[in-house]
């Protein structure tokens, strides 16, 4: 019971942060990093770039997870260059939220890092 409430709280906080980040016309660097991290996680992508004005996301999606080695330099990864169009950024990012345990752990860590950066910016 406690875990499900915690999981829902993580999702709600992430959705709140997405709504806050999409409401600002000029995207700050921290919000852009949040958007890129969400897209990288959901699409298993590398080299994600978001063009907010043209409503376009370009990224290289890793095709074979077994070829990727985190501890090594990965030069010849099979990737698919993708160019996605989105109508509403908030809806698009919210559709990229997974509710499995591994993803929830990633989101909790992402929220924690985001809060720490927010505190550093407010102190400066």
């Amino acid at each position: 019971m406690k875990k499900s409430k915690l999981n829902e709280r993580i999702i709600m906080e992430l959705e709140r942060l997405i709504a806050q980040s999409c409401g600002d016309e000029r995207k700050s660097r921290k919000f852009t990093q949040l958007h890129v991290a969400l897209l990288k996680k959901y699409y298993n992508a590398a080299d994600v770039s978001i063009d907010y004005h043209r409503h376009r996301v370009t990224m290289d999606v890793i095709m074979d997870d077994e070829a990727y080695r985190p501890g090594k330099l990965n030069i010849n990864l099979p990737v698919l260059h993708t160019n996605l169009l989105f109508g509403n950024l908030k809806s698009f990012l919210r559709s990229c939220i997974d509710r499995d345990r591994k993803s929830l752990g990633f989101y909790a860590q992402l929220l924690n890092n985001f809060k720490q950066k927010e505190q550093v910016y407010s102190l400066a």
Side-chain angles (χ1 to χ4, degrees):
M1 183 72 146
K2 288 182 181 180
K3 283 187 179 182
S4 66
K5 286 187 179 186
L6 178 62
N7 293 347
E8 286 304 312
R9 188 169 174 216
I10 290 169
I11 296 296
M12 285 176 41
E13 190 66 24
L14 185 61
E15 288 179 344
R16 184 195 63 77
L17 194 57
I18 288 171
Q20 179 184 352
S21 69
C22 294
D24 188 11
E25 281 297 313
R26 297 177 316 174
K27 303 295 183 259
S28 68
R29 183 175 175 190
K30 64 181 181 175
F31 285 146
T32 301
Q33 290 173 341
L34 171 72
H35 298 167
V36 168
L38 286 171
L39 293 171
K40 280 184 175 183
K41 170 73 173 116
Y42 186 75
Y43 287 103
N44 192 26
D47 193 29
V48 174
S49 176
I50 304 171
D51 185 346
Y52 293 103
H53 301 291
R54 293 175 52 201
H55 299 269
R56 187 178 302 256
V57 175
T58 56
M59 62 186 140
D60 293 328
V61 177
I62 299 172
M63 299 298 292
D64 184 12
D65 287 339
E66 293 183 16
Y68 177 70
R69 301 283 180 249
K72 291 187 173 184
L73 185 60
N74 296 286
I75 296 174
N76 292 326
L77 283 177
V79 295
L80 174 67
H81 184 73
T82 308
N83 192 348
L84 297 176
L85 299 173
F86 60 88
N88 182 316
L89 180 63
K90 183 170 110 176
S91 298
F92 176 63
L93 291 174
R94 287 180 74 187
S95 72
C96 295
I97 297 175
D98 285 328
R99 295 180 188 270
D100 61 288
R101 192 174 0 181
K102 184 178 177 184
S103 296
L104 287 168
F106 173 77
Y107 301 146
Q109 184 179 10
L110 188 65
L111 289 169
N112 189 29
N113 289 340
F114 194 86
K115 293 291 183 191
Q116 288 175 355
K117 285 181 183 179
E118 209 170 55
Q119 289 174 352
V120 169
Y121 289 134
S122 66
L123 294 175

